[in-house]
Amino acid sequence: MSLPSVLTLIADRKAGPLKPEAIDVARSLVKGKAPIVLSEGEAVDIPCPTPGPGAASAATIRATLAPYQVDTLLLKTRGRRKAVLVADMDSTVVTGETLDEMAAALGVGEQVATITRASMNGEIDFETSIEQRVALLAGKSASVLEDVWQNVTLTNGAKELVQTMRKHNARTALVSGGFTWFTQRVAELCGFDENHGNILEIVDGKMTGKLGGPVLGPDAKLTHLEALTTERGVQLRAALTTGDGANDIPMLASAGLGLAFHAKPNVKKVIGTQINFSGLRAHLFAQGYRAADFVTD
C-alpha cells in the first residue's frame, strides 16, 4: 500500500545530475522510503508519510535542497495525474517575453520593459499595463511580429509536457496575456488543444496601439481554467496550471497543482509549489510520470 505523500526531487540536467547526497538529505527530512527513479540522474519520487506537527515544511525542504540546484515538491499521492493543463506563454512555454521583444525591435524596448516588470511584479494592474504597452506600438509596422516569431524559442520540455498529457487524455490550453498572433503559433508548435490571448488590432499593416477585444488578464485566466475543468467534467483539483507572473497567481492558487515556474519574487511569496531550477519536464515528474513515458518527437 502506497504512502499518502510523496516528495519529488528534480535536478536541472544542465547543472549536473541529481546527487545521492541530495536524495539522502531529502529522505531524512521527510522520513521517506527508498527513492523511486523517474529519470536516472534527474528525478526521483520519495514516498513519505503525511507531514505531522514539527515536520519539515515544504518551504524548509525547498530551501535545504536549493544549494544542490534541486526542485522539491511535497504532494499528496492521490490524484497526482491531472486532467487539465493551463499554461502561460511568455517566460513559461517560451523563453522570452514576446511583447518586450517586439518593442525592442521597434525602438521602444526600455519603456515597454519597465511597464512589463511593474506588471509582473504586481506593482500595477495587468489591464493598465497592457493598454500602456500596446499604446507605445501605435503606428508601427506589424511586420515586426514575423521578425520576433523567427526568434521565439520553446522552453525545454514544452512539447513533452503538452503531448504527454494529451496522450493521457488531458485537455491542454495555452492562456496568455500576450497576443493571439503568437499564442496560435506556439499552441500549434507544442500541440495544445486550444489557445487564448489578447487580440492586437492591426489596420493596413500597422498596429493601431489598441487591442481588438477585451483584455485577457488574471481574472480571465482563472475563468478559462474554470471553464476547461467544467467542460472536462472534473473539479479544479484535477487541474495543473503553470506561469511566472502576477497575472498568473489566481489560476495558480486555484488549481489542484499550480506551479510557479521560474517565477517573479512576488509570485513565489504566494505560491509555495515552485520550479526554480529545472525545465517544464518537472511538471510531468510532479505527476508521477517517468521519463520513459514521455511523448517526444
Side-chain angles (χ1 to χ4, degrees):
M1 184 175 180
S2 63
L3 290 172
S5 296
V6 62
L7 176 64
T8 304
L9 308 183
I10 310 115
D12 174 14
R13 293 187 296 174
K14 294 178 182 178
L18 179 59
K19 293 181 173 61
E21 180 185 351
I23 297 174
D24 290 342
V25 170
R27 285 186 66 187
S28 176
L29 286 169
V30 297
K31 298 179 173 58
K33 299 298 184 182
I36 299 167
V37 176
L38 301 177
S39 178
E40 192 67 43
E42 182 184 10
V44 299
D45 269 352
I46 301 174
C48 59
T50 300
S57 68
T60 297
I61 297 167
R62 183 170 61 249
T64 303
L65 274 294
Y68 297 98
Q69 293 192 297
V70 171
D71 287 312
T72 64
L73 296 166
L74 182 59
L75 304 169
K76 293 180 179 179
T77 304
R78 186 176 180 182
R80 288 180 74 189
R81 292 199 176 180
K82 303 306 182 185
V84 170
L85 167 68
V86 177
D88 176 42
M89 181 178 69
D90 294 307
S91 297
T92 302
V93 171
V94 303
T95 60
E97 292 283 337
T98 48
L99 176 50
D100 286 3
E101 290 162 14
M102 287 173 57
L106 294 170
V108 291
E110 189 51 46
Q111 294 162 272
V112 167
T114 297
I115 301 170
T116 298
R117 284 192 296 270
S119 175
M120 291 297 98
N121 287 323
E123 296 164 11
I124 58 174
D125 68 84
F126 183 82
E127 183 170 346
T128 299
S129 76
I130 191 71
E131 290 174 346
Q132 289 179 349
R133 287 177 287 173
V134 171
L136 291 168
L137 306 179
K140 307 288 188 181
S141 173
S143 64
V144 72
L145 291 158
E146 187 62 45
D147 295 338
V148 169
W149 173 242
Q150 295 305 314
N151 294 305
V152 166
T153 302
L154 292 179
T155 300
N156 177 45
K159 287 185 179 180
E160 290 170 300
L161 170 60
V162 176
Q163 294 178 19
T164 300
M165 290 191 67
R166 284 192 66 186
K167 180 184 177 182
H168 290 84
N169 300 314
R171 183 73 179 176
T172 61
L174 185 67
V175 181
S176 173
F179 301 132
T180 54
W181 197 97
F182 292 109
T183 64
Q184 291 167 357
R185 288 160 175 78
V186 171
E188 182 177 356
L189 194 58
C190 292
F192 281 97
D193 292 302
E194 59 188 79
N195 71 92
H196 306 275
N198 284 300
I199 301 169
L200 183 63
E201 187 176 81
I202 298 171
V203 177
D204 296 331
K206 294 185 182 298
M207 293 174 281
T208 66
K210 298 178 181 179
L211 295 176
V215 173
L216 194 161
D219 292 340
K221 287 193 172 192
L222 177 56
T223 298
H224 280 296
L225 169 63
E226 293 170 339
L228 282 160
T229 54
T230 298
E231 290 167 10
R232 188 68 171 75
V234 298
Q235 297 183 345
L236 285 171
R237 64 170 177 260
L240 165 62
T241 55
T242 184
D244 71 299
N247 62 324
D248 297 310
I249 289 175
M251 73 172 189
L252 294 176
S254 298
L257 179 58
L259 293 176
F261 184 72
H262 295 258
K264 307 301 184 292
N266 69 306
V267 179
K268 292 182 183 182
K269 290 178 182 178
V270 180
I271 306 299
T273 42
Q274 303 171 8
I275 303 299
N276 297 319
F277 301 106
S278 48
L280 290 171
R281 287 163 61 94
H283 296 57
L284 291 171
F285 295 132
Q287 298 176 77
Y289 287 101
R290 298 172 186 264
D293 300 325
F294 291 4
V295 177
T296 58
D297 62 7

